[in-house]
């Protein structure tokens, strides 16, 4: 087992990784920018190293600085968390080349899945159902017109290097394809430095359902069911639950096995998420994330496992601590993402937290790195915490969520906490009857 893990991230996920390490008897190293000297992960870790000024590009994304921190502290493994360098194949490779273990998949797997066109080709070959679309990249507007016309509108033009909901444009009809193609390309170039785009059939009222997979890198893999992440704003998840209110045990077993078999065949190591759109009883693959997801706690709640500890185990060469038969879901879990943002505009609201009280009690988990007196720096993502609740049934989880929200106090800044009280009052949320467009329509009507 590793002696010392360097956590190449910040915020709640850095603390989450620290906690997993401590329970395994592993020392931790926090790295931080000058804006994060007072961050909770820095306070808690056994050691800390400042890796640069506030901008992410000069600190949390600086590979040389992180490698130096590994060498100074003698860390024998690096956990990248999510975001930042977590899906950077070059980083994974450089870490490896320095004789340090990257707690995550191989550079090859990160590379393939990071290119959405290659990912779709790979998944199709491995027997995973995909959204109908162009075969590979689409290079000219003429080609875009021809493919979209052949497939039938509406279509969506997507960046091959896409992520975070950027570089995606919908064309409802032939009148819109030229502009959708051009603007997706421009946005892709600006956001990812790569203007390759592809076209997919635009599904009208799907749900976003993703399957958690886990591999040991030696041809064995399991699935840990699905998460329903349909409640989204600007293609970003806001509220996630497991299991999905619309998936049966039989469907879970079937799609889960398809996904586990697919990643087993490529000797995938560690945690991964295979994302689908789900419409009319059918699953359509859209992308695979080769990292731990923000919403992993809902899966942990329902399956009773620690995914970060499991990542560390397999990275150290140990077998997984469970088999598919051991993984039996129980009850229902829901996560709310709490952002430092002002409603209704969702504009970032950095500043100093004057009072903080986290809810507790049976079935309540708060993953957050904030505290009273903490100053949220303006440089990073606005996620400041996640509230996860668990109940024996979906009804119980919803009641618990409502109760936990009423206990949650964050003062001094604006947060998205009030959104969730409102949301819980909506009938469709109570019944689980929503698709990927539901939240935006509701926000427009209610806020
Ligand atoms: P990103 O990597 O930027 O998150 P994804 O491919 O995962 O992009 O898509 C993000 C979201 O965009 C999906 O959850 C869904 O809401 C929407 N989306 C993507 N592809 C399609 C499609 N073919 N039809 C309808 N909606 C889509």
């Amino acid at each position: 087992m590793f002696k010392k893990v360097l956590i190449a991230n910040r915020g709640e996920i850095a603390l989450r990784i620290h906690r997993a390490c401590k329970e395994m008897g592993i020392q931790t190293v926090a790295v931080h920018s000058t804006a994060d000297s007072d961050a909770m992960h820095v306070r808690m870790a056994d050691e800390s190293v400042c890796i640069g000024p506030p901008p992410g590009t000069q600190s949390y994304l600086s590979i040389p600085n992180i490698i130096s921190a590994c060498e100074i502290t003698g860390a024998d493994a690096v956990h990248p968390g999510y975001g930042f360098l977590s899906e950077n194949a070059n980083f994974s490779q450089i870490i490896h080349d320095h004789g340090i273990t990257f707690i995550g998949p191989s550079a090859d797997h990160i590379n393939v899945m990071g290119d959405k066109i290659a990912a779709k080709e790979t998944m199709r070959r491995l027997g995973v159902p995909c959204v109908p679309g162009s075969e590979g990249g689409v290079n000219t507007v003429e080609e875009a017109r021809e493919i979209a016309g052949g497939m039938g509108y509406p279509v969506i033009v997507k960046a091959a290097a896409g992520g975070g909901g950027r570089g995606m444009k919908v064309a409802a009809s032939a009148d819109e394809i030229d502009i959708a193609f051009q603007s997706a390309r421009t946005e892709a170039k600006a956001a990812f430095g790569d203007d390759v785009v592809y076209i997919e059939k635009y599904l009208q009222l799907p749900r976003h359902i993703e399957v958690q997979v886990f591999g040991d890198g030696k041809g064995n893999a399991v699935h840990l069911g699905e998460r329903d992440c349909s409640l989204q704003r600007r293609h970003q998840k806001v509220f996630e639950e497991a299991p999905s209110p619309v998936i049966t045990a039989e469907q879970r077993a079937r799609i889960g096995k398809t996904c586990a078999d697919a990643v087993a065949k490529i000797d995938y190591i560690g945690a991964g998420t295979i994302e689908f759109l789900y419409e009319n009883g059918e699953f359509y693959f859209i992308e695979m994330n080769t990292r731990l997801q923000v919403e992993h706690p809902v899966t942990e709640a329902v399956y009773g496992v620690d995914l970060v500890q499991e990542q560390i185990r397999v990275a150290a060469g140990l077998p997984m601590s469970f088999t598919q038969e051991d993984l039996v879901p129980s009850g229902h879990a829901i996560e709310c993402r709490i952002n430092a943002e002002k409603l209704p505009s969702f504009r970032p609201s950095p500043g100093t937290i004057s009072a903080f009280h986290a809810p507790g009690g049976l079935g309540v988990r708060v993953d957050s790195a904030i505290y009273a007196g903490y100053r949220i720096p303006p440089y990073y993502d606005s996620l400041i915490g996640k509230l996860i609740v668990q109940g024996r049934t979906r009804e119980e989880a919803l009641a618990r969520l409502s109760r936990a929200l009423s206990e949650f106090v964050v003062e001094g800044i604006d947060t998205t906490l009030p959104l969730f009280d409102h949301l819980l009052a909506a009938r469709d949320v109570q019944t689980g009857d929503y698709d990927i467009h539901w939240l935006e329509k509701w926000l427009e009507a209610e806020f």
Side-chain angles (χ1 to χ4, degrees):
M1 186 39 71
F2 308 117
K3 289 199 173 58
K4 203 185 266 189
V5 168
L6 183 138
I7 303 164
N9 215 299
R10 65 180 301 281
E12 68 86 17
I13 196 61
L15 199 53
R16 166 73 189 90
I17 296 161
H18 166 82
R19 288 171 170 156
C21 290
K22 287 288 104 180
E23 290 181 16
M24 297 174 87
I26 300 169
Q27 298 283 301
T28 57
V29 179
V31 292
H32 64 93
S33 72
T34 51
D36 276 340
S37 310
D38 291 334
M40 192 53 93
H41 76 281
V42 177
R43 293 182 170 198
M44 294 260 179
D46 296 298
E47 289 170 67
S48 65
V49 180
C50 180
I51 51 165
T57 47
Q58 294 171 52
S59 50
Y60 299 103
L61 289 168
S62 168
I63 297 176
N65 296 8
I66 292 170
I67 297 285
S68 303
C70 289
E71 302 213 318
I72 292 165
T73 56
D76 47 5
V78 171
H79 196 306
Y82 53 68
F84 292 122
L85 294 167
S86 61
E87 288 173 293
N88 183 314
N90 192 31
F91 180 58
S92 160
Q93 189 60 51
I94 291 173
I95 293 283
H96 177 80
D97 293 345
H98 280 74
I100 302 162
T101 304
F102 179 77
I103 302 173
S106 68
D108 281 351
H109 288 154
I110 297 175
N111 247 331
V112 170
M113 298 305 166
D115 174 347
K116 291 186 175 185
I117 294 174
K120 264 183 99 168
E121 271 164 22
T122 306
M123 286 298 173
R124 190 175 298 119
R125 187 166 47 77
L126 293 168
V128 176
C130 296
V131 189
S134 59
E135 266 176 45
V138 178
N139 302 310
T140 62
V141 73
E142 291 74 31
E143 212 184 315
R145 280 186 212 137
E146 196 183 311
I147 289 165
M151 209 152 55
Y153 288 90
V155 300
I156 183 166
V157 186
K158 298 172 72 170
R166 285 173 302 170
M168 265 186 275
K169 296 288 168 208
V170 177
S173 68
D175 300 339
E176 294 175 15
I177 188 66
D178 291 23
I179 184 94
F181 175 76
Q182 297 297 0
S183 57
R185 261 175 94 113
T186 310
E187 202 173 304
K189 182 81 191 167
F192 313 109
D194 175 358
D195 67 359
V196 177
V197 297
Y198 63 109
I199 297 182
E200 274 180 356
K201 181 88 193 147
Y202 183 66
L203 302 179
Q204 313 248 354
L205 296 170
R207 295 178 77 111
H208 174 115
I209 293 180
E210 56 186 37
V211 176
Q212 176 72 56
V213 290
F214 206 97
D216 68 357
K218 297 166 186 157
N220 304 299
V222 295
H223 73 86
L224 293 92
E226 80 286 2
R227 294 182 286 261
D228 196 318
C229 312
S230 301
L231 291 176
Q232 303 181 353
R233 180 179 169 269
R234 301 199 173 160
H235 305 301
Q236 299 267 38
K237 300 159 190 169
V238 171
F239 173 107
E240 301 104 341
E241 59 183 312
S244 166
V246 299
I247 299 297
T248 64
E250 197 267 320
Q251 283 177 301
R252 175 172 311 116
R254 192 148 35 90
I255 193 69
K257 184 172 187 322
T258 301
C259 291
D261 287 352
V263 296
K265 272 184 219 147
I266 57 171
D267 290 340
Y268 187 81
I269 186 163
T273 299
I274 305 190
E275 297 194 337
F276 294 94
L277 294 177
Y278 174 81
E279 196 173 60
N280 300 327
E282 301 285 341
F283 288 92
Y284 301 95
F285 170 78
I286 46 173
E287 67 162 340
M288 176 166 181
N289 294 317
T290 52
R291 55 167 157 84
L292 190 72
Q293 305 262 122
V294 174
E295 60 273 22
H296 76 276
V298 293
T299 300
E300 293 185 325
V302 169
Y303 283 88
V305 300
D306 185 318
L307 287 171
V308 178
Q309 290 194 12
E310 207 63 29
Q311 287 184 299
I312 295 170
R313 275 181 68 91
V314 298
L318 295 174
M320 290 186 277
S321 69
F322 40 64
T323 63
Q324 191 66 63
E325 289 66 45
D326 298 331
L327 295 166
V328 181
S330 162
H332 199 93
I334 302 175
E335 174 181 279
C336 296
R337 295 194 190 194
I338 303 156
N339 290 347
E341 288 170 356
K342 189 171 171 58
L343 297 171
S345 64
F346 291 89
R347 215 168 284 132
S349 169
T352 302
I353 294 170
S354 54
F356 177 69
H357 173 77
L362 182 65
V364 176
R365 167 175 172 182
V366 176
D367 275 20
S368 175
I370 64 171
Y371 54 88
Y374 175 63
R375 195 167 48 81
I376 297 168
Y379 311 103
Y380 313 106
D381 190 271
S382 57
L383 182 77
I384 54 164
K386 308 179 312 204
L387 169 60
I388 305 103
V389 296
Q390 176 179 14
R392 287 170 299 179
T393 60
R394 189 168 187 272
E395 290 65 38
E396 193 172 274
L398 286 168
R400 189 157 282 153
L401 179 55
S402 174
R403 186 273 290 172
L405 284 166
S406 73
E407 293 177 14
F408 218 137
V409 180
V410 183
E411 286 173 6
I413 55 157
D414 286 299
T415 75
T416 52
L417 271 169
L419 171 72
F420 297 104
D421 282 325
H422 265 70
L423 204 54
L424 287 186
R427 233 189 90 84
D428 292 342
V429 172
Q430 286 166 10
T431 57
D433 183 15
Y434 51 73
D435 56 54
I436 59 169
H437 304 296
W438 187 93
L439 183 64
E440 292 207 344
K441 281 187 217 145
W442 178 83
L443 284 169
E444 226 163 83
E446 298 282 320
F447 271 72

